Amino acid sequence: MGILQARTLERYPTVEKRAKVFNGASYVPVPEDGPFLKALLFELRLLDDEKDFLESRDSCSHINKTSIYGLPVGSEELWPVVAFLKNGMIYACVPLVEQTLSPRPPLISISGISQGFELLFGVQDFLSSGQKNDSELNTKLSQLSDLLLQTCPFGTLLDANLQNSLDNINFASVTHPQKQPAWKTGTYKGKPQVSISITEKVNSMQYDKQEIADTWQVVGVVTCKCDLEGSMPNVTISLSLPTNGSPLQDILVHPCVTSLDSAILTSSSIDAMDDSAFSGPYKFPLTPPLESFNLCYYTSQVPVPPILGFYQVKEEEVQLKIAVNLKLHESVKNSFEFCEAHIPFYNRGPITHVEYKASFGQLEVFREKSLLVWIIGQKFPKSMEISLSGTITFGAKNHEKQPFDQICIGGTAYLKLHFRILDYTLTGCYVDQHSVQVFASGKPKIST
Amino acid sequence: MGPLGRETWAQRLGTFRASPSAFMAGPEGEDLGRDLLSDLRSEKLSEPMKVALLALCLEYPAQLWPEVPAAEAAATSLLDTLVLLPPRPSALRRPLLLAATTALAAGGALSPASGASRRLLPLLLGLASGRDLGRSFGPASEQRPLQATAWECLRELESCRPGLLRGCLGLLRTLLGREGPVQPLSLLLALALRNALVIQARAGAGLQGLLTAGDSSMEGGPWNWTLAEEGDVHLQPQAPSWPAAEEGECGLGALELSPEEARELRATVAQLLDASYLLTPVAQAQLLWLLGWALRGLRGQPPVLFKPQLVRLLGTAQLTLLHATLALKAAFGEALFTAQDEALLLRRLTLAAQHPALPLPTHLFYLHCLLNFPENWPLGPTGEEAAPLLLGSQLCRGLLPSLLHEPMAFLARLHLLCLLCMEEEEKEEKGQDQSPRHYLEELLAGLRQRAALDRGPRALATLCFQASYLVAHCLAGQSVVLTPLTQGLAQLYRTRPALAPHFVDLLDRVGLELQEPLRVALRQEVVSRPGREEALRWHLLMLARVADGDAQSATLNFLWAAATHCTDWGLQQALLRVCRALLRAGVGGGLADLLQALARQLEDPDGQDHARLYYILLAHLAGPKLGVALGPSLAAPALASSLVAENQGFAAALMVQEAPAPVRLSVGPRRAEGPVPVLQLQVEVLEPVYSLELRFRVERQLYAPLGAVHVPCLCPGRPTRPLLLPLQPRRPAPARLAVRALYSTPSGLTCHAHLPPLLVTFADLFLPFPQPPEGAQLDFFEELWDSCLPKGTESRLWCSLGPGGLEALVSRHLEPFVVVAQPPVSYLVAIRLPPDSRLLLRLEAAQADGVPVALRTDDWAVLPLAGDYLRGLSAAG
């Protein structure tokens, strides 16, 4: 197994030795860093030479349906290479396959695949958490090798939470009491406290078309931090909904949750909605880790989108006439941290001239980015309805400068609304302070 | 050389990592391993630097110490360094233990004969069991982390040499009870247990009290190697835990456990599972894989032990845990998952495959798992991707592809959609608009619309063709899908001819179901729309792939029109490539005119030459030969220049090649009739040949030149008639015939082979005289006898006879030439020897052991040959 970090692969020779035995004639050694990286960049389509048709990359039968690749190494192929791109970094590793590679076994039968993914997700979390600038990133990259020695000795991943292991190195002398979980690196000493926060995001697509249904789905995450004494405090956290709240669905929980009601397990957005859907309270008994963690993710189908939009574009020679209407639903809290509408005009020339009339807020023009941003601010007016109309003129199209956009093709255009409302959930989902039960010494302070 | 400084080492490590092979081949390569080991003890280097050196030992032992003795020496040196560390806290102990383990395991040095192994194993076991190793071995504060390290090292050694810790199972169990469910110990015990079960099952033995053996067995004393057998033979592939793999390969069914042993085993597994929630999720997953595998197929070990874990596992978003659950599902099937459980698992998997909170790589992996879901009762063939039976269209609704998806997600979902369409096909046709097929068509149309965008990124076009390929592959039998697909693609070509390379690639790869109609549609598209410049380039590229014998006049008209625009070399070559394709397809008349015109009209001499060459080929070669000549080059492929390759192709196809003989010839029985001697040649065919021509040359010109023999076709295994070769001797003498064969192979090459020479013996030339009328035989013979002298000569000799006597000899060798016979004692024989000689024999008054022979000939030169012949007869009996 190898992992790519700052252009260096971490290598595990005992694993390679086993691979040689298991894979037999189909064994392909992991190449040196340079050739590996080159092959990987090619496979991920990151070498931006797309001008000509290249059979090894563009052939119709070269189909990848997972983030697992085969890299050409000489005349052979190194497989499976787990790799993905995230925030400008490539994460890659080569898991051990404990069987012959020809014929290729299905990925599902290789335990190393999910272990490899988990390792890379762990590295990604570690590198991106709290990272502000390049020097911080470099510090973290330099710690990575030592961390992997700790969490991934001989290429076997012991803990995907690298931050924990870093803390563990620093607390090496702490003697572990009996039954200390491996995912808990120490014990908390101090005032007991439990903080829980719920963040909801709404993804909505409104087409205003007969043949395509509009969609709006809420995705929620519940984050907890439990500062409690004792090695294994038991906590139960309940999520509740108001009487008419939209049921939570597709609930995925943190592994520290010890058991789940079958109603929670089966509640899913796949089913048609009906009144019999389970609507809480959603109880999560758990033994919390020390660090802040995501207790659960859920989705929900609220009855209406929080903001209803209408967007019309008319092409008149070199000009575009646009009309936008936005309407905030009355049930939604009218108090935003921010609210702005992004109106892009990709796959055209740069904006040369804009004339507009807005019933509310102001418009900013980013000529080179071909983007208008309508800043709506903290509040919708009393009518709950605002509008914008205008005429935009474009210059000549310059293909080299502009990135290609897949949606703004021909008469198709879109408007993207970004907003955040504090202390409010669309589903109405909340954590009742009194419903949080803690079985540990001391009376904790509970904040939600 | 003294210890290197910090700077020097940092630079050296950097160079090494940049390219280990280059470094090792360089001047410093040889010393690196040695310097590194010695500098680990240097006091000048800081601890972090030493940790960096040890990291190198961990990653590149094969480069540093490629031979087994070197690996052994390195491990010994690392252990010495470890022992020599002063008894204060140090960051080096852990990496030193890891490095020594790596050196032994990766270097293949782990064995009872290895001194380092004999030191390392007891050391690790001592650390692992928490025994006091003396003050020299680190401060008390380090004992706990070192204990964990020792467990990790032991686990790696057990992984590389399964069975190594078979004798320690009892000890490990006791430790687990004493230390609590510590993660590395749990994993070590699970691994050792799994390996032990597999090995014992293979040996047909029970557990032999291994689980209960006290901790005294291994502690202190020398390591018991008898339980860890040699080599890699025990490394077991992981696949047997998967249903697609051969049943019984895992072979745990052979393991006979006593009730006592079964109880102990169950207790151990329960002990590990019950505390598994204390492990990190990734470690839990490893534990489940190991234990699932260990218990699969084991009699008397119901998988119900896993049941309490499942509820917890099903709720989680954790990739490794859900994957491990699927592994348990695969291992135990219905024994652990009822139909309801299966439905719930499938539901959770479907949900996770689209959950907005999870990242794309996870979605894609879950989609893969869905299509490879280990069903309790799979219907289809194993090993093929298929939608599980319980996955209805309702469940799939959220998994349908949309144009907004990432290419990988799109293709994965498209595959699922294709599988749904396949099922739909099998069912009744229902509401047209809502059918998955209708949706699929809309999607493909959307893809084509995006691919058609002028200057759109190539990735969009690639995706469109990948999707078309996938659909054609999955739904090959469904013309309702393929017809609109063909039309849509033809239209896409019309809009954006620059995609021609993608079309050619697609045509090369899809099955005939799409290939044929698409080829015809594209040809139609090209020839009906003559283009200029840029488009013309693509049209010609396209036409070279799709042109065939049909629609000749339209194609030729297109080419005549195109020829006037082909002004540069590239276009001319493209045009000629189309001509070549037409030549191969056997297009004749109109093409000859075009080629002649091109030979005159093209400005580029290379183009002219090619046109002329094609014209000459067309005019001179028959259709099949032309096809071969222009077919894929038989010369080494991958030549840089297509022209060179093409010329080599011609050379191979049009030149006669030397080859080993495809037939074997031998002279068959003599015919002795007709006006001239005729050789009967028996043919043994070694490989199929066509148009075989055999040419014979008589050495020393003893006979007139021989005509060639022609055979249209010969195949091995098919009976062949003998070939007749008439001889025209100039002198009645034996001769050697040199033989050559000229023929065509099934692949159309013309070959030439030398065959071994054929020998024509003296007797092969014998012919009888015309039969005289009845009653006149004696006079006829006497007349011949008298006529030999005085020109000729007479001789006598004794011919000894075998057990059959004279009668047998004559009937075997001289029968056709006997003129007067008085069996069994007297025969008069007259032989005609072309061109105009005779040989007369009187065999009279035969005795039991021989016969006196009087012979006369009219040709002195025949006498020694006749003498040899008769002596040969008598020797043969």
Side-chain angles (χ1 to χ4, degrees):
Chain A
M1 192 186 277
I3 140 155
L4 189 73
Q5 48 116 349
R7 301 193 162 203
T8 309
L9 279 168
E10 204 79 27
R11 284 160 197 280
Y12 299 98
T14 50
V15 181
E16 286 231 33
K17 190 171 170 65
R18 266 180 282 155
K20 206 183 278 181
V21 178
F22 283 125
N23 303 162
S26 49
Y27 168 72
V28 178
V30 177
E32 292 191 356
D33 297 358
F36 181 90
L37 185 68
K38 206 172 147 215
L40 186 62
L41 289 174
F42 179 79
E43 203 55 37
L44 292 174
R45 291 182 157 266
L46 292 173
L47 299 175
D48 54 3
D49 175 28
E50 289 232 312
K51 207 171 120 275
D52 292 317
F53 175 84
L54 259 185
E55 190 182 300
S56 55
R57 179 192 61 201
D58 299 318
S59 171
C60 61
S61 59
H62 186 74
I63 291 179
N64 233 357
K65 295 182 291 173
T66 55
S67 312
I68 289 118
Y69 301 86
L71 301 188
V73 175
S75 58
E76 295 162 310
E77 201 175 34
L78 179 70
W79 183 89
V81 178
V82 178
F84 58 84
L85 184 74
K86 186 83 190 180
N87 299 332
M89 302 267 286
I90 302 171
Y91 299 86
C93 69
V94 188
L96 171 71
V97 182
E98 295 180 88
Q99 43 189 309
T100 175
L101 297 180
S102 114
R104 267 189 197 175
L107 296 172
I108 191 176
S109 71
I110 305 169
S111 67
I113 297 288
S114 54
Q115 295 278 332
F117 269 123
E118 215 61 61
L119 168 68
L120 299 181
F121 292 148
V123 173
Q124 181 205 327
D125 281 349
F126 172 70
L127 291 181
S128 55
S129 69
Q131 175 208 322
K132 296 285 183 304
N133 53 39
D134 278 0
S135 75
E136 272 180 55
L137 177 66
N138 284 333
T139 313
K140 289 202 160 183
L141 279 172
S142 67
Q143 290 171 325
L144 203 51
S145 202
D146 279 350
L147 271 181
L148 288 174
L149 190 62
Q150 206 68 28
T151 60
C152 201
F154 303 112
T156 306
L157 184 62
L158 300 177
D159 191 354
N161 189 333
L162 300 190
Q163 190 64 46
N164 261 356
S165 304
L166 188 64
D167 302 342
N168 210 1
I169 296 177
N170 302 336
F171 284 104
S173 57
V174 175
T175 47
H176 290 239
Q178 285 263 323
K179 278 215 157 187
Q180 173 77 13
W183 35 263
K184 196 163 178 181
T185 46
T187 43
Y188 176 77
K189 292 261 181 290
K191 225 171 123 189
Q193 185 170 345
V194 175
S195 358
I196 303 163
S197 75
I198 302 175
T199 313
E200 286 186 352
K201 248 190 192 172
V202 61
N203 296 324
S204 175
M205 309 257 234
Q206 299 172 23
Y207 303 92
D208 195 21
K209 262 186 169 180
Q210 280 262 300
E211 59 268 43
I212 312 175
D214 293 352
T215 64
W216 53 94
Q217 186 183 40
V218 173
V219 188
V221 52
V222 181
T223 313
C224 295
K225 175 96 169 77
C226 301
D227 296 327
L228 299 167
E229 293 192 341
S231 65
M232 294 280 289
N234 284 320
V235 180
T236 300
I237 294 173
S238 303
L239 298 180
S240 311
L241 291 173
T243 348
N244 292 329
S246 315
L248 307 188
Q249 301 166 323
D250 304 342
I251 298 167
L252 298 174
V253 298
H254 190 269
C256 74
V257 174
T258 47
S259 69
L260 268 187
D261 195 288
S262 66
I264 296 181
L265 268 183
T266 49
S267 142
S268 137
S269 60
I270 296 162
D271 302 315
M273 286 285 289
D274 58 30
D275 294 340
S276 65
F278 179 69
S279 60
Y282 304 85
K283 276 191 196 262
F284 302 103
L286 59 129
T287 20
L290 276 184
E291 71 278 4
S292 166
F293 65 100
N294 293 334
L295 171 66
C296 74
Y297 303 99
Y298 61 84
T299 70
S300 181
Q301 190 60 60
V302 288
V304 285
I307 299 175
L308 200 62
F310 168 82
Y311 180 33
Q312 198 177 41
V313 178
K314 257 192 209 156
E315 188 143 21
E316 288 179 0
E317 290 170 17
V318 292
Q319 290 186 332
L320 273 191
K321 281 196 167 178
I322 62 163
V324 185
N325 260 304
L326 297 175
K327 186 169 189 293
L328 182 69
H329 195 265
E330 58 208 0
S331 66
V332 179
K333 178 173 164 184
N334 188 4
S335 165
F336 294 80
E337 191 187 28
F338 66 87
C339 179
E340 55 193 40
H342 290 218
I343 313 170
F345 298 96
Y346 299 131
N347 304 341
R348 297 174 184 274
I351 299 171
T352 51
H353 184 70
V354 179
E355 274 174 41
Y356 75 96
K357 204 177 105 190
S359 73
F360 198 78
Q362 336 94 62
L363 195 72
E364 281 185 24
V365 183
F366 298 86
R367 287 175 199 275
E368 286 306 313
K369 284 190 195 162
S370 310
L371 180 70
L372 301 186
V373 177
W374 181 16
I375 297 166
I376 296 155
Q378 271 70 45
K379 241 175 160 26
F380 270 63
K382 272 216 176 105
S383 65
M384 300 286 190
E385 211 172 337
I386 55 175
S387 64
L388 169 80
S389 60
T391 310
I392 304 131
T393 317
F394 298 93
K397 205 154 146 185
N398 182 349
H399 288 290
E400 278 68 44
K401 271 192 178 173
Q402 300 244 327
F404 180 82
D405 183 85
Q406 300 194 11
I407 302 173
C408 296
I409 293 167
T412 312
Y414 67 90
L415 173 152
K416 211 169 173 180
L417 201 60
H418 300 255
F419 62 92
R420 185 184 289 161
I421 309 175
L422 292 178
D423 300 323
Y424 173 77
T425 58
L426 277 172
T427 54
C429 174
Y430 65 98
V431 179
D432 185 354
Q433 290 201 9
H434 305 291
S435 73
V436 178
Q437 297 169 314
V438 176
F439 309 94
S441 53
K443 192 171 159 42
K445 180 181 172 239
I446 294 166
S447 57
T448 59
Chain B
M1 188 163 58
L4 300 168
R6 192 184 163 281
E7 294 294 319
T8 326
W9 265 118
Q11 192 190 359
R12 235 177 150 188
L13 294 187
T15 327
F16 176 86
R17 282 186 179 276
S19 174
S21 59
F23 187 95
M24 293 314 282
E28 289 187 280
E30 207 177 317
D31 299 332
L32 183 66
R34 204 188 50 225
D35 292 354
L36 200 151
L37 289 174
S38 71
D39 282 10
L40 279 174
R41 291 181 215 166
S42 147
E43 283 173 19
K44 282 190 185 166
L45 289 184
S46 63
E47 260 196 3
M49 194 65 229
K50 288 181 181 174
V51 171
L53 294 188
L54 284 169
L56 209 66
C57 304
L58 282 172
E59 290 185 61
Y60 295 98
Q63 285 79 2
L64 295 171
W65 310 294
E67 312 291 334
V68 175
E72 162 83 16
T76 308
S77 169
L78 290 165
L79 284 172
D80 289 342
T81 309
L82 180 66
V83 176
L84 290 174
L85 284 179
R88 57 168 188 266
S90 162
L92 294 180
R93 288 192 178 86
R94 177 177 156 86
L96 275 168
L97 279 174
L98 296 177
T101 305
T102 303
L104 281 179
L110 187 68
S111 81
S114 135
S117 306
R118 289 200 303 270
R119 281 174 67 192
L120 179 66
L121 285 167
L123 173 65
L124 290 175
L125 206 61
L127 281 171
S129 52
R131 248 182 301 136
D132 187 14
L133 294 173
R135 255 175 43 77
S136 65
F137 211 85
S141 65
E142 268 188 60
Q143 289 305 325
R144 199 92 200 156
L146 282 179
Q147 189 177 27
T149 305
W151 286 323
E152 285 155 15
C153 291
L154 286 171
R155 196 198 55 219
E156 193 60 17
L157 292 172
E158 170 74 22
S159 297
C160 291
R161 181 67 75 84
L164 187 70
L165 295 175
R166 205 162 25 145
C168 305
L169 281 173
L171 170 68
L172 294 176
R173 269 191 81 194
T174 318
L175 275 178
L176 193 68
R178 197 171 75 208
E179 304 282 336
V182 196
Q183 177 163 298
L185 179 57
S186 302
L187 290 178
L188 172 61
L189 176 57
L191 177 71
L193 181 66
R194 198 252 347 238
N195 288 347
L197 285 172
V198 172
I199 293 172
Q200 296 298 105
R202 180 119 43 98
L207 276 176
Q208 299 169 338
L210 288 171
L211 280 172
T212 43
D215 34 347
S216 62
S217 63
M218 299 298 277
E219 268 183 276
W223 193 268
N224 183 359
W225 283 90
T226 52
L227 293 168
E229 286 161 56
E230 193 51 44
D232 308 317
V233 287
H234 290 317
L235 281 179
Q236 284 283 304
Q238 189 182 49
S241 68
W242 213 257
E246 281 291 307
E247 278 288 340
E249 198 175 305
C250 163
L252 285 181
L255 195 59
E256 290 286 349
L257 296 182
S258 68
E260 170 83 9
E261 285 174 338
R263 202 167 50 243
E264 285 300 327
L265 178 59
R266 209 154 41 231
T268 312
V269 173
Q271 190 183 4
L272 286 168
L273 281 177
D274 289 349
S276 65
Y277 70 98
L278 292 168
L279 311 189
T280 61
V282 284
Q284 284 180 42
Q286 288 164 29
L287 190 80
L288 291 171
W289 275 86
L290 285 171
L291 293 179
W293 185 3
L295 295 194
R296 180 179 185 237
L298 199 58
R299 259 177 279 164
Q301 295 291 331
V304 67
L305 283 169
F306 291 97
K307 202 106 195 178
Q309 308 297 325
L310 289 181
V311 178
R312 190 168 59 84
L313 296 175
L314 281 174
T316 166
Q318 238 274 346
L319 181 62
T320 44
L321 289 178
L322 198 48
H323 193 193
T325 312
L326 287 166
L328 289 177
K329 174 81 176 61
F332 300 111
E334 219 182 6
L336 187 57
F337 288 80
T338 61
Q340 284 87 355
D341 294 340
E342 183 176 53
L344 179 62
L345 179 57
L346 205 51
R347 214 178 150 79
R348 294 297 296 180
L349 194 58
T350 315
L351 177 161
Q354 55 187 303
H355 202 290
L358 298 180
L360 176 69
T362 309
H363 285 169
L364 295 175
F365 182 66
Y366 286 147
L367 273 169
H368 165 89
C369 291
L370 264 182
L371 296 188
N372 291 273
F373 187 78
E375 294 182 87
N376 283 350
W377 299 106
L379 281 181
T382 49
E384 259 178 45
E385 300 209 318
L389 202 62
L390 289 172
L391 186 78
S393 50
Q394 170 74 12
L395 271 181
C396 287
R397 230 177 21 182
L399 290 176
L400 294 182
S402 117
L403 292 178
L404 296 177
H405 282 123
E406 287 267 324
M408 284 197 290
F410 181 86
L411 289 169
R413 285 163 172 247
L414 183 70
H415 191 181
L416 182 67
L417 178 61
C418 287
L419 293 171
L420 288 180
C421 288
M422 236 149 82
E423 278 174 24
E424 197 71 5
E425 168 73 324
E426 286 158 18
K427 290 183 210 155
E428 292 281 309
E429 284 283 325
K430 286 183 294 189
Q432 278 290 311
D433 285 357
Q434 290 308 308
S435 77
R437 206 184 69 224
H438 186 75
Y439 186 70
L440 177 70
E441 269 165 33
E442 280 188 355
L443 268 181
L444 290 173
L447 279 178
R448 288 193 295 266
Q449 199 189 353
R450 291 198 310 185
L453 286 172
D454 194 26
R455 290 171 195 271
R458 185 164 299 279
L460 279 185
T462 302
L463 183 63
C464 171
F465 284 90
Q466 285 173 334
S468 305
Y469 171 80
L470 194 62
V471 169
H473 182 74
C474 292
L475 303 173
Q478 297 200 17
S479 54
V480 276
V481 176
L482 295 189
T483 308
L485 180 60
T486 309
Q487 289 161 356
L489 285 170
Q491 195 187 354
L492 173 61
Y493 180 75
R494 190 183 315 153
T495 334
R496 201 177 170 199
L499 296 179
H502 287 273
F503 279 98
V504 172
D505 173 61
L506 181 67
L507 283 170
D508 286 344
R509 284 164 209 280
V510 286
L512 280 178
E513 296 86 351
L514 180 65
Q515 196 188 66
E516 265 316 291
L518 182 60
R519 199 178 58 79
V520 172
L522 287 172
R523 186 190 60 211
Q524 185 61 29
E525 208 52 62
V526 172
V527 298
S528 59
R529 283 178 184 74
R532 291 180 171 223
E533 282 130 36
E534 191 63 8
L536 182 58
R537 183 159 91 90
W538 301 122
H539 285 340
L540 291 172
L541 176 71
M542 195 74 242
L543 203 53
R545 174 65 180 81
V546 298
D548 63 1
D550 299 336
Q552 286 188 21
S553 63
T555 310
L556 287 172
N557 285 343
F558 173 83
L559 291 177
W560 277 106
T564 53
H565 300 295
C566 288
T567 44
D568 73 8
W569 182 85
L571 284 174
Q572 290 174 11
Q573 290 299 318
L575 181 68
L576 286 164
R577 267 193 289 275
V578 181
C579 294
R580 191 179 198 280
L582 289 174
L583 269 181
R584 278 195 74 189
V587 173
L591 184 61
D593 298 341
L594 177 66
L595 286 172
Q596 270 189 312
L598 288 178
R600 280 195 305 273
Q601 177 186 329
L602 295 181
E603 290 159 19
D604 185 73
D606 184 37
Q608 287 178 10
D609 286 350
H610 257 86
R612 207 167 290 129
L613 174 62
Y614 290 152
Y615 175 72
I616 292 169
L617 289 174
L618 178 62
H620 289 85
L621 291 182
K625 189 77 186 172
L626 194 60
V628 175
L630 294 166
S633 167
L634 293 160
L639 279 167
S641 152
S642 67
L643 291 174
V644 174
E646 183 173 84
N647 286 339
Q648 292 212 349
F650 287 147
L654 299 181
M655 275 167 56
V656 176
Q657 322 238 322
E658 187 77 36
V663 293
R664 231 175 263 153
L665 291 183
S666 55
V667 179
R670 290 171 198 134
R671 284 160 50 95
E673 59 182 50
V676 292
V678 175
L679 278 188
Q680 272 203 86
L681 299 179
Q682 307 282 7
V683 188
E684 188 190 345
V685 189
L686 305 174
E687 55 187 85
V689 293
Y690 298 98
S691 310
L692 175 67
E693 179 178 307
L694 291 168
R695 294 183 183 170
F696 303 89
R697 191 173 55 80
V698 189
E699 290 179 5
R700 294 168 41 218
Q701 303 191 337
L702 290 168
Y703 311 152
L706 301 176
V709 176
H710 292 100
V711 188
C713 168
L714 286 174
C715 273
R718 233 180 272 168
T720 53
R721 269 190 277 172
L723 306 176
L724 301 181
L725 181 66
L727 303 175
Q728 290 183 311
R730 287 177 173 146
R731 279 163 43 198
R736 262 160 67 104
L737 305 182
V739 192
R740 289 184 300 150
L742 205 64
Y743 60 96
S744 297
T745 65
S747 57
L749 290 182
T750 304
C751 293
H752 163 253
H754 283 279
L755 272 59
L758 290 172
L759 293 179
V760 184
T761 60
F762 181 55
D764 287 331
L765 303 176
F766 292 2
L767 288 173
F769 278 92
Q771 200 67 35
E774 196 64 36
Q777 288 101 334
L778 188 61
D779 292 345
F780 175 67
F781 182 80
E782 293 298 349
E783 204 172 307
L784 287 173
W785 184 261
D786 292 340
S787 69
C788 287
L789 295 179
K791 191 178 119 195
T793 180
E794 178 174 334
S795 177
R796 281 169 189 277
L797 53 86
W798 176 258
C799 181
S800 49
L801 292 172
L806 183 60
E807 208 173 356
L809 179 107
V810 170
S811 81
R812 196 177 309 149
H813 298 289
L814 297 168
E815 180 82 56
F817 317 110
V818 173
V819 182
V820 179
Q822 286 175 338
V825 289
S826 180
Y827 295 91
L828 302 178
V829 175
I831 299 168
R832 195 156 68 84
L833 289 168
D836 51 6
S837 308
R838 57 189 68 159
L839 172 66
L840 305 168
L841 307 173
R842 281 177 183 273
L843 306 124
E844 282 169 324
Q847 294 162 27
D849 60 340
V851 60
V853 182
L855 67 86
R856 271 191 189 183
T857 171
D858 59 349
D859 185 348
W860 276 86
V862 167
L863 195 63
L865 295 169
D868 286 350
Y869 172 67
L870 288 169
R871 273 187 290 275
L873 287 188
S874 74

